[in-house]
Amino acid sequence: MARHQVILMSSAIILTVMLILITLFIQHHYMLASVLFVILTFLPFVIRFERRKISGRELVLLAVLSAIAAVSRVPFASIPSVQPTTFVIIITGLALGAESGFVVGALAALVSNLFLGQGPWTPWQMYSWGMIGLAAGLLRHTKFMKWSIGRYIFGFISGILFGWVMNIWIFMGNIEQITISHILASFGTSFYFDLAHAVSNVFFLAVFGKAWIKILLRFKKKYGLLDH
């Protein structure tokens, strides 16, 4: 495994542990958790940038993609779980790599919640979307992800798992009162919302996926951005 992948996986493990501890013990400090999450999210970039000169264009590109992912969520707020945010995050990971996908995913949740409302759920959304971008980036050179149907399957599974992780946040926040019936009821209630998220991911990937990947790869090649 390459060094940058080891750093990414280590950061993901640290974020997972931090998220669980914060939810169990200091859930009311969710904004502090969000800030710490952003700092740890950028850790792989800081380490990587130590090995080469930082390009302002790279930071601008990530900022623009994060803004698009965040703002695109707002108009769809009236349609539960249907939004192109996950699509933008997946495409970022596929075209620009795991670090980029992770950063855009985490920032998209934090920024969009400035409009939709911050809360204890924010760090969990940052984690979920960040991990989707990370996974897309780590798998981007596989035959599965180069196959259109493979990307659709990944998008569908991402939508389902996103909802499951958010369910875990609910359980962790009320761990003393959780029973099997509560768990089953929570997953049953969220199923249709998770399904809507999964299907919307497939729709956006099918309609816009190839064009977005082509544009980002062309931009990356032209300006020599985010090369490992």
Side-chain angles (χ1 to χ4, degrees):
M1 185 179 291
R3 183 188 174 194
H4 75 277
Q5 291 181 331
V6 173
I7 294 171
L8 277 174
M9 296 307 296
S10 300
S11 299
I13 293 172
I14 293 172
L15 288 171
T16 302
V17 174
M18 185 189 79
L19 201 59
I20 293 173
L21 292 177
I22 287 173
T23 304
L24 286 175
F25 300 109
I26 52 172
Q27 185 173 195
H28 53 288
H29 294 302
Y30 56 85
M31 284 307 300
L32 174 61
S34 299
V35 172
L36 290 175
F37 199 100
V38 170
I39 293 173
L40 287 175
T41 295
F42 275 94
L43 182 60
F45 267 102
V46 173
I47 295 174
R48 193 175 126 204
F49 283 150
E50 286 182 353
R51 303 199 304 268
R52 65 179 180 81
K53 186 178 179 181
I54 300 175
S55 170
R57 288 175 176 170
E58 294 178 342
L59 297 179
V60 170
L61 177 59
L62 292 178
V64 169
L65 288 171
S66 298
I68 292 173
V71 173
S72 65
R73 184 183 171 201
V74 178
F76 290 85
S78 60
I79 310 175
S81 299
V82 176
Q83 34 70 23
T85 303
T86 307
F87 156 76
V88 176
I89 294 166
I90 292 173
I91 294 301
T92 300
L94 289 175
L96 304 179
E99 297 103 326
S100 302
F102 198 59
V103 168
V104 170
L107 289 181
L110 181 62
V111 175
S112 63
N113 281 349
L114 294 175
F115 302 96
L116 302 177
Q118 302 283 354
W121 54 85
T122 298
W124 284 85
Q125 290 177 333
M126 295 171 68
Y127 175 81
S128 300
W129 268 320
M131 291 303 291
I132 289 174
L134 174 68
L138 291 176
L139 296 174
R140 64 178 175 150
H141 294 306
T142 63
K143 291 183 179 180
F144 179 78
M145 292 298 272
K146 291 182 179 180
W147 184 39
S148 295
I149 300 299
R151 293 194 294 271
Y152 304 159
I153 294 173
F154 180 86
F156 186 89
I157 294 174
S158 296
I160 298 296
L161 291 180
F162 181 93
W164 287 3
V165 172
M166 296 310 296
N167 286 340
I168 294 174
W169 159 67
I170 297 174
F171 304 151
M172 296 293 292
N174 303 275
I175 195 166
E176 295 179 357
Q177 303 174 3
I178 288 299
T179 64
I180 295 297
S181 60
H182 288 152
I183 294 174
L184 294 176
S186 180
F187 278 98
T189 302
S190 70
F191 173 75
Y192 295 104
F193 297 100
D194 299 340
L195 183 62
H197 187 182
V199 172
S200 67
N201 289 345
V202 175
F203 171 79
F204 288 117
L205 285 168
V207 176
F208 303 108
K210 289 184 178 180
W212 273 60
I213 291 174
K214 185 177 180 180
I215 290 170
L216 288 178
L217 287 178
R218 183 183 300 171
F219 195 87
K220 175 183 176 181
K221 182 178 180 179
K222 180 177 181 180
Y223 296 103
L225 303 179
L226 298 162
D227 289 324
H228 295 287

